[in-house]
C-alpha cells in the first residue's frame, strides 16, 4: 500500500463550498464562474485574456489551431516532456521536431533550437519544465529572427517568473493545466492565455463547436470542438487560484527541506533552488542519479521505495522513445536520454508533511548507498 503518494490534491472546505454553491444554481456550464475564473487567471498571469477549457492538452491544441499550424508544418518541441506537447502537433498533421534540453534546467537548449529550424518551421512550443522558466529571451529572439510563433507550455509552471514577469504571458500564447497533480487544480481543466485578440477570438470559437461571435448556437463558422469546462470546475479553480501564492510558498518550503536533507548524498544531483532572473514554481521535486548509474538502478530504487509505501515517479519517458512515435525521424537527443533514465521524482504535494519528507529522504539515502552502478547490491 502506498502511504506517501507521489502526488495528492489539496482541497479545503472553501473549495468544497464553492463547488457545492454552483450545484445549487441553474448554470453548470458557460455561466458566471467561467467568466470569473478566466478573469482571475488573466489577472494573475498579467495578460489581457484567458480562455478556460477542459484540459491543458485542449488549450495547447487551440493555440496551434489559432496560430494556423497545419499539415506538414514543423513545430519545435522538447522530447523531455509530457506527451501532449507532441500529440497536439500531430492532431493537426503537423510535424513535431524534437530538440534536446539543457541538463541544468531541463528546458529546451536555445543553442540547438536555431539549427533545428527549416523553411517548414512555423512555431516553437517552449515548456517550462517542472516549473523552471525556460530561456525565453534567447528563444523569443530566435523566433523573431525567423518569423516563428512561440507558445509557452506553462502547464507545470503557474506562478513562475522570468525577469520579473509571470510565465505564460511572455510569448504569442501560453497554456496552463489544472489536473490534480498540478500546483492548483480544477479536477480536469486548462487555460489558454494571450494578449492577442485574434488568438482569443479563434480559441473561444473553437472551444465551443465553432460557434461564432453572434453566440447563436446553430451558427457554426468553422469546425470546432467541445473543449468546454463546466462552471463546477471553474468554481474550484477560482477558490484555488485565490490561495495560489500560499500553495506555491508551501511547495517551495518542501523543496528546500528535500534539498537540505539530501545534500550529503553525493550520488544524487538536486535541482537548483534559485536561478538568476527566475522564480521557480515547484511542480515536482525530481533528483537525478549520478552518471555511473542507469535506468536499471533507478528502476530498482523506484520499486524498493514502492514496496516501502512511497510513490516515486520516472519523469519523463522521452516522447521520441514512446511506441506511438516509433516511426519518427529523430536526431540524437543525448541530454534528454541521459536525464530521463536517471531521474527520480519524489513525493511532492501541498499537504506533504515534514516528517514524510524526512522519511522519504532517509529511505532514499539507504537505497542509493546500497545500490552499485553494476546493478549489484551490497
Ligand atoms: C500536464 C501537462 C499538460 C496538459 O495536461 P492535461 O492533462 O491535458 O491537463 C501539457 N503539457 C505539460 C508539460 C504538462 O505537464
Amino acid at each position: 500500500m502506498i502511504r506517501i503518494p507521489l502526488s495528492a490534491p489539496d482541497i479545503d472546505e472553501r473549495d468544497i463550498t464553492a463547488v457545492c454553491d454552483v450545484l445549487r444554481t441553474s448554470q453548470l456550464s458557460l455561466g458566471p464562474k467561467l467568466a470569473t475564473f478566466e478573469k482571475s487567471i488573466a489577472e494573475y498571469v498579467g495578460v489581457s485574456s484567458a480562455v478556460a477549457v477542459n484540459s491543458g492538452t485542449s488549450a495547447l491544441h487551440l493555440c496551434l489551431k489559432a496560430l494556423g499550424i497545419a499539415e506538414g508544418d514543423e513545430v519545435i518541441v522538447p522530447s523531455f516532456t509530457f506527451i501532449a506537447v507532441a500529440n497536439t502537433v500531430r492532431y493537426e498533421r503537423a510535424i513535431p521536431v524534437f530538440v534536446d534540453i539543457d541538463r541544468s534546467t531541463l528546458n529546451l537548449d536555445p543553442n540547438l533550437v536555431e539549427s533545428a529550424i527549416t523553411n517548414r518551421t512555423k512555431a516553437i512550443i517552449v515548456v517550462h519544465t517542472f516549473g523552471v522558466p525556460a530561456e525565453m529571451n534567447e528563444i523569443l529572439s530566435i523566433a523573431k529572427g525567423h518569423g516563428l510563433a512561440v507558445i509557452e507550455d506553462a502547464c507545470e509552471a503557474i506562478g513562475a517568473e522570468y525577469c520579473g514577469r509571470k510565465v505564460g504571458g511572455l510569448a504569442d500564447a501560453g497554456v496552463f493545466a489544472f489536473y490534480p497533480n498540478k500546483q492548483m487544480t480544477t479536477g480536469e481543466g486548462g487555460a489558454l492565455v494571450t494578449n492577442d485578440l485574434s488568438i482569443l477570438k479563434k480559441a473561444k470559437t473553437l472551444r465551443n463547436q465553432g460557434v461564432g461571435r453572434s453566440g447563436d448556437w446553430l451558427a457554426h463558422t468553422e469546425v470546432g470542438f467541445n473543449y468546454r469546462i463546466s462552471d463546477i470546475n471553474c468554481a474550484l479553480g477560482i477558490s484555488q487560484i485565490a490561495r495560489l501564492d500560499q500553495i506555491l510558498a508551501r511547495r517551495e518550503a518542501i523543496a528546500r527541506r528535500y534539498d537540505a536533507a539530501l545534500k550529503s548524498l553525493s550520488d544524487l544531483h538536486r535541482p537548483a533552488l534559485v536561478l538568476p532572473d527566475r522564480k521557480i514554481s515547484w511542480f515536482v521535486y525530481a533528483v537525478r542519479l549520478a552518471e555511473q548509474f542507469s535506468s536499471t538502478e533507478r528502476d530498482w530504487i523506484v520499486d524498493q521505495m514502492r514496496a516501502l509505501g512511497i510513490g516515486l515517479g520516472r519523469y519523463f519517458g522521452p516522447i521520441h522513445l514512446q511506441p506511438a512515435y516509433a516511426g519518427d525521424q529523430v536526431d540524437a537527443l543525448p541530454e534528454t536520454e541521459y536525464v530521463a533514465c536517471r531521474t527520480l521524482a519524489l513525493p511532492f504535494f501541498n499537504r506533504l508533511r515534514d516528517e514524510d519528507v524526512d522519511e522519504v529522504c532517509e529511505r532514499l539515502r539507504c537505497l542509493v548507498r546500497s545500490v552499485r552502478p553494476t546493478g549489484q547490491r551490497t
Side-chain angles (χ1 to χ4, degrees):
M1 218 227 354
I2 294 292
R3 292 174 297 115
I4 309 177
L6 177 60
S7 171
D10 174 14
I11 302 299
D12 70 12
E13 286 306 317
R14 275 170 304 172
D15 294 336
I16 293 168
T17 305
V19 167
C20 291
D21 286 349
V22 176
L23 294 172
R24 293 181 225 281
T25 73
S26 57
Q27 277 226 286
L28 301 188
S29 192
L30 298 176
K33 297 299 172 192
L34 173 64
T36 305
F37 186 39
E38 290 179 333
K39 194 158 165 275
S40 22
I41 297 166
E43 269 169 17
Y44 185 84
V45 179
V47 292
S48 62
S49 24
V51 181
V53 290
N54 59 356
S55 75
T57 305
S58 303
L60 210 44
H61 187 202
L62 291 186
C63 278
L64 292 164
K65 289 285 287 187
L67 288 165
I69 304 302
E71 181 157 9
D73 290 345
E74 292 180 1
V75 179
I76 289 174
V77 297
S79 173
F80 186 75
T81 190
F82 186 54
I83 190 97
V85 173
N87 281 352
T88 52
V89 175
R90 281 287 190 74
Y91 294 169
E92 293 307 310
R93 300 182 185 278
I95 302 155
V97 174
F98 298 109
V99 166
D100 214 353
I101 53 167
D102 176 327
R103 200 184 285 190
S104 63
T105 62
L106 307 180
N107 288 324
L108 276 182
D109 182 344
N111 297 314
L112 302 173
V113 167
E114 183 121 45
S115 48
I117 295 171
T118 72
N119 54 14
R120 286 187 303 274
T121 309
K122 290 285 156 52
I124 302 169
I125 301 179
V126 54
V127 182
H128 304 296
T129 311
F130 298 164
V132 176
E135 306 279 340
M136 291 307 291
N137 285 344
E138 290 80 351
I139 287 171
L140 288 169
S141 103
I142 293 167
K144 199 167 177 205
H146 294 267
L148 309 177
V150 176
I151 298 168
E152 284 180 86
D153 181 334
C155 288
E156 301 174 2
I158 194 160
E161 291 174 18
Y162 180 78
C163 297
R165 292 170 61 200
K166 290 256 175 15
V167 302
L170 306 171
D172 296 288
V175 299
F176 295 100
F178 308 119
Y179 187 74
N181 72 338
K182 311 283 181 184
Q183 288 90 325
M184 59 166 275
T185 187
T186 57
E188 292 281 1
L192 175 163
V193 294
T194 186
N195 290 308
D196 184 323
L197 264 179
S198 72
I199 293 177
L200 172 73
K201 267 168 56 184
K202 206 126 193 207
K204 281 200 164 170
T205 299
L206 290 169
R207 166 178 68 183
N208 187 20
Q209 308 287 15
V211 173
R213 288 263 283 172
S214 73
D216 179 347
W217 271 76
L218 297 175
H220 305 279
T221 53
E222 58 195 302
V223 176
F225 308 93
N226 174 3
Y227 283 169
R228 297 185 307 265
I229 179 172
S230 83
D231 271 43
I232 305 166
N233 300 86
C234 290
L236 180 52
I238 295 164
S239 183
Q240 292 247 315
I241 204 169
R243 63 186 161 94
L244 182 55
D245 287 334
Q246 254 168 281
I247 289 173
L248 297 184
R250 173 63 193 147
R251 295 174 85 93
E252 180 172 349
I254 298 170
R256 288 185 181 275
R257 192 174 187 91
Y258 267 127
D259 185 77
L262 295 172
K263 239 180 197 120
S264 58
L265 254 186
S266 58
D267 280 338
L268 217 54
H269 174 273
R270 290 164 289 116
L273 286 179
V274 284
L275 288 162
D277 301 322
R278 289 167 174 73
K279 178 176 175 276
I280 299 166
S281 167
W282 290 88
F283 169 54
V284 293
Y285 190 83
V287 293
R288 180 159 79 236
L289 291 168
E291 181 151 22
Q292 66 270 27
F293 298 99
S294 70
S295 59
T296 314
E297 292 84 32
R298 191 272 307 268
D299 294 347
W300 181 78
I301 291 171
V302 171
D303 292 344
Q304 295 295 309
M305 289 288 270
R306 287 221 173 115
L308 292 165
I310 299 170
L312 256 55
R314 302 173 167 87
Y315 290 164
F316 282 103
I319 299 174
H320 73 284
L321 299 180
Q322 301 302 319
Y325 283 77
D328 277 36
Q329 190 76 38
V330 179
D331 287 344
L333 300 167
E335 293 298 301
T336 293
E337 293 185 16
Y338 175 93
V339 168
C341 71
R342 291 175 176 81
T343 297
L344 291 158
L346 308 184
F348 196 76
F349 48 93
N350 305 348
R351 295 192 174 187
L352 186 62
R353 300 171 310 172
D354 287 350
E355 54 263 44
D356 293 333
V357 173
D358 298 344
E359 185 192 334
V360 170
C361 293
E362 190 47 47
R363 305 278 195 192
L364 188 62
R365 254 196 303 275
C366 291
L367 288 171
V368 172
R369 286 190 175 136
S370 73
V371 70
R372 287 286 163 272
T374 51
Q376 297 150 3
R377 333 284 171 224
T378 52

